[in-house]
Amino acid sequence: MEPNPAWDADSYPDVVDALGRDGLVFRVWGGDWCKDCRSQLPDFGAALDAAGVAEDRIEHYPVEKAEDGSKVGPKVEEYGIELIPTVVVERDGEELARFVEEERQPIAVYLADRLRERELSS
């Protein structure tokens, strides 16, 4: 999740604001072998960096692919991880938003939208 230096935080002020809110924890499942992870996670890393998210609020879980195609790794079963990248946003142990590989928006934008929607509905 090495941040992409070309990601432009000034173009995404609402995203940076939403991701930088207090108390959010980001759980990220991915693998170096996964082309989707290699293409999507650097921009997400840059967004977290721009939002000032401390490293201790970002949990990385390396995922491998078993011979049958299933995913194996830390907390894969506990969180029902089937596709990667998957990012779960939590606050105080409660899941607030989840991005799964197949979404059509960038990770940061998708999660920021879900967090704002949740805030508006509370």
Side-chain angles (χ1 to χ4, degrees):
M1 251 185 44
E2 186 67 32
N4 177 359
W7 193 81
D8 180 22
D10 292 338
S11 296
Y12 299 94
D14 293 341
V15 169
V16 170
D17 178 59
L19 297 180
R21 299 227 167 99
D22 288 338
L24 298 180
V25 173
F26 299 86
R27 298 182 182 275
V28 182
W29 285 265
D32 292 342
W33 54 269
C34 170
K35 69 178 176 69
D36 292 319
C37 295
R38 289 192 314 268
S39 70
Q40 296 177 41
L41 289 176
D43 283 353
F44 181 58
L48 292 178
D49 193 45
V53 177
E55 272 297 312
D56 66 346
R57 291 180 28 212
I58 306 168
E59 310 254 345
H60 300 271
Y61 302 106
V63 176
E64 297 297 329
K65 190 188 311 188
E67 286 185 26
D68 66 359
S70 65
K71 306 301 185 283
V72 294
K75 301 195 180 202
V76 164
E77 288 185 29
E78 181 181 339
Y79 279 84
I81 306 302
E82 295 179 7
L83 300 171
I84 59 172
T86 292
V87 179
V88 174
V89 183
E90 296 178 342
R91 179 181 284 130
D92 298 325
E94 177 188 359
E95 183 172 323
L96 303 177
R98 180 182 288 235
F99 172 91
V100 178
E101 167 199 355
E102 58 205 8
E103 300 300 341
R104 295 180 187 253
Q105 291 178 294
I107 300 170
V109 173
Y110 181 85
L111 291 175
D113 285 351
R114 301 296 80 73
L115 291 168
R116 278 193 301 274
E117 286 170 4
R118 185 175 180 92
E119 199 173 81
L120 291 173
S121 69
S122 327

